[in-house]
């Protein structure tokens, strides 16, 4: 019986090694192809500070959030930073989520999710701005007091097909808050 099991294991390991060799070959082929395809990519921004979220404006400009607290506008490989007031960039916190309103081309509403401090307590919030002439105006707090911590702040926001804004939060290092 032991001989049969050993022979079976050797037989199967031979096939596993052949499959592994095929997988390695495939990975090498893909890597070589990626190197050849590098000419198809273009760097549009450099020296960003912990970029977190990206959004494409209707006019072709690009927005990205930097966790230290900047909204970055990228146009023709040039960048302009707008500091967001009140961002607390500790641990895994900072300026994270961003979403454009579904009717952005009409109302210019831009939503931002970020970590802030209320006294000594770390919290998160979502604010809405009007994005006009490369500046943020008309700040409105949508929701604040979302539990925060040094780590696990979550921070992705997006509009669903129903037009509602959805917000993901972290467990704020309190495991009972996790789903």
């Amino acid at each position: 019986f032991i001989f049969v099991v050993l022979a079976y294991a050797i037989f199967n390991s031979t096939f596993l090694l052949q499959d592994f060799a095929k997988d390695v070959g495939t990975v090498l082929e893909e890597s070589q192809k990626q190197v050849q395809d590098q000419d198809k990519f273009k760097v549009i921004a450099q020296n960003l500070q912990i970029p977190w979220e990206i959004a494409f404006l209707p006019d072709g400009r690009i927005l990205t959030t930097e966790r230290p607290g900047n909204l970055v506008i990228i146009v023709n490989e040039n960048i302009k930073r707008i500091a967001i007031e009140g961002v607390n960039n500790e641990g895994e916190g900072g300026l994270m989520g961003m979403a454009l309103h579904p009717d952005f081309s009409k109302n210019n509403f831009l939503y931002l999710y970020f970590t802030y401090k209320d006294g000594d307590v770390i919290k998160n919030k979502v604010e809405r701005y009007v994005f006009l002439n490369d500046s943020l105006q008309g700040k409105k707090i949508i929701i604040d007091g979302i539990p925060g911590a040094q780590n696990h702040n979550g921070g992705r926001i997006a509009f669903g097909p129903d037009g509602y804004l959805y917000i993901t939060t972290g467990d704020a290092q309190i495991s009972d808050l996790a789903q």
Side-chain angles (χ1 to χ4, degrees):
F1 175 75
I2 294 174
F3 175 75
V4 171
V5 171
L6 182 59
Y8 178 77
I10 292 171
F11 179 76
N12 278 337
S13 67
T14 301
F15 284 106
L16 289 175
L17 286 173
Q18 289 174 351
D19 288 344
F20 177 74
K22 287 179 188 174
D23 290 345
V24 169
T26 301
V27 168
L28 289 174
E29 287 173 16
E30 286 296 317
S31 296
Q32 289 171 345
K33 184 179 178 193
Q34 288 176 359
V35 169
Q36 293 168 351
D37 289 346
Q38 283 183 349
D39 293 338
K40 296 178 184 176
F41 298 100
K42 179 180 179 183
V43 175
I44 58 166
Q46 296 186 47
N47 302 313
L48 297 174
Q49 302 169 16
I50 316 172
W52 198 259
E53 186 75 72
I54 190 167
F56 297 90
L57 297 174
D59 63 7
R61 291 178 297 159
I62 300 170
L63 299 178
T64 189
T65 59
E66 294 178 318
R67 271 198 13 224
N70 297 308
L71 176 67
V72 179
I73 306 165
I74 303 170
V75 183
N76 300 323
E77 301 177 37
N78 295 308
I79 64 173
K80 175 186 176 186
R81 286 185 168 89
I82 301 172
I84 306 302
E85 185 179 330
V87 173
N88 180 47
N89 179 34
E90 286 184 47
E92 295 175 354
L95 178 58
M96 295 177 285
M98 172 176 50
L100 302 178
H101 190 277
D103 289 328
F104 178 83
S105 58
K106 295 177 185 171
N107 61 27
N108 294 312
F109 288 163
L110 172 72
Y111 295 77
L112 298 174
Y113 179 108
F114 63 89
T115 307
Y116 69 101
K117 267 196 167 175
D118 184 7
D120 290 336
V121 180
I122 298 173
K123 297 180 181 180
N124 296 289
K125 68 168 123 181
V126 175
E127 293 182 343
R128 183 186 76 195
Y129 296 87
V130 176
F131 181 75
L132 283 173
N133 303 318
D134 290 349
S135 67
L136 297 176
Q137 305 165 15
K139 174 175 81 172
K140 179 179 182 182
I141 296 172
I142 301 301
I143 185 171
D144 63 354
I146 299 168
Q150 196 70 14
N151 299 304
H152 300 191
N153 289 293
R156 295 294 187 187
I157 60 177
F159 280 89
D162 55 7
Y164 288 111
L165 179 65
Y166 289 87
I167 303 166
T168 64
T169 64
D171 65 14
Q173 295 182 275
I174 302 170
S175 59
D176 289 344
L177 293 178
Q179 296 181 14

